[in-house]
Amino acid sequence: MILQRAIEKIGIPTVLIAALPPVAKQNGAPRVVAPRVPMGANVGEPNNVKMQMGILRDTLKALVEITTPATIVPLDYEYIAKV
Amino acid sequence: MKLTVVKNLKSEIYVPLMPEIVWAPVKKPLDEMKIALVTGAGVHLKTDKRFNLAGDPSYRVIPREASGKDLMVSHGGYDNADVNKDINSMFPIDRLKELVQEGFIKEVAELNFGTMGGGGDIETFTNVTGPEIAEKLKEIKVDAVVLTAG
């Protein structure tokens, strides 16, 4: 979120894919998407190209569609890691 | 109503404070954009210097030519099992290139950045690392950035 804010401050729009969206919000992230994923697999299940493509595509759509700062868009993807 | 201000008086209830808003508007459609990836997940080239797992505010450049197979993670703050299987789970460089092929975005930025996030030396990370990365992204005229962290 520190990085995101620095980049946004210089004039480049950003979007964060977060596994812990409340933390992102608390730290002032301007645009956030939140798939249901564990920390460490924010873009989805390993080797699941379809899920990763879906998350990345929806993330970029959210980048363009979010018009209010500190918006969090939940993404309808779920990956539960087997630990 | 006149507000009463009493010095050093604090709320007994914890009131979370959010930093002030930063906001850069989107200026063009996705299919005309150059997109960069920036992460706090400790991603870097296999040939590059590893991060110091105890805390490291430095960053590593990941060139556009790199594919997922050229990258690795050194980060002590989360379970690396998924990224070790497939780095795209945290740093979707191969997926981003596929989106270029589809014509969904225009191109991947020449330079992308890996860091270990702000969990260590927050001052250096905020005052040096962050602004330096932002400056480099601006120099190469990146239109938008996708981040993964947290």
Side-chain angles (χ1 to χ4, degrees), chain B residues 11 14 48 53 59 63 67 77 92-93 103 113-114 119 129 139 141 149:
Chain B
S11 167
Y14 173 65
D48 212 338
L53 300 190
Y59 64 86
S67 78
I93 185 104
F113 295 88
T129 311
E139 267 170 35
K141 297 189 167 59

Side-chain angles (χ1 to χ4, degrees), chain A residues 47-67:
Chain A
N47 301 313
N48 185 338
V49 174
K50 199 179 159 209
M51 184 191 283
Q52 293 173 359
M53 280 303 258
I55 290 177
L56 194 54
R57 215 181 273 123
D58 288 356
T59 299
L60 288 162
K61 279 186 201 154
L63 166 82
V64 178
E65 284 164 10
I66 294 172
T67 51

Side-chain angles (χ1 to χ4, degrees), chain A residues 5 8 10-11 13-17 19 25-27 30-31 40-44 46-47 52-53 57 63-64 79, chain B residues 16-20 22-24 26 30 78 82 86 88-90 95 98 102 104 135 143-147 149-150:
Chain A
R5 289 177 59 84
E8 197 91 18
I10 213 166
T14 62
V15 59
L16 172 72
I17 310 175
K25 188 170 185 129
Q26 183 64 52
N27 286 290
R31 297 179 198 79
N42 297 25
V43 196
N47 301 313
Q52 293 173 359
M53 280 303 258
R57 215 181 273 123
L63 166 82
V64 178
Y79 162 53
Chain B
L17 290 174
M18 276 167 63
E20 61 179 90
V22 286
W23 185 259
V26 171
L30 284 170
Y78 67 97
D82 286 335
D86 176 12
N88 288 287
S89 276
M90 213 47 187
R95 299 296 89 80
E98 287 158 28
E102 278 182 17
F104 192 80
E135 197 59 54
D143 295 305
V145 175
V146 172
L147 295 105

Side-chain angles (χ1 to χ4, degrees), chain B residues 105-117:
Chain B
I105 59 165
K106 189 174 164 224
E107 57 183 323
V108 179
E110 299 92 312
L111 309 175
N112 302 272
F113 295 88
T115 75
M116 236 177 55

Side-chain angles (χ1 to χ4, degrees), chain B residues 113-133:
Chain B
F113 295 88
T115 75
M116 236 177 55
D121 181 353
I122 291 186
E123 211 182 304
T124 306
F125 201 71
T126 309
N127 300 327
V128 183
T129 311
E132 243 179 74
I133 291 176

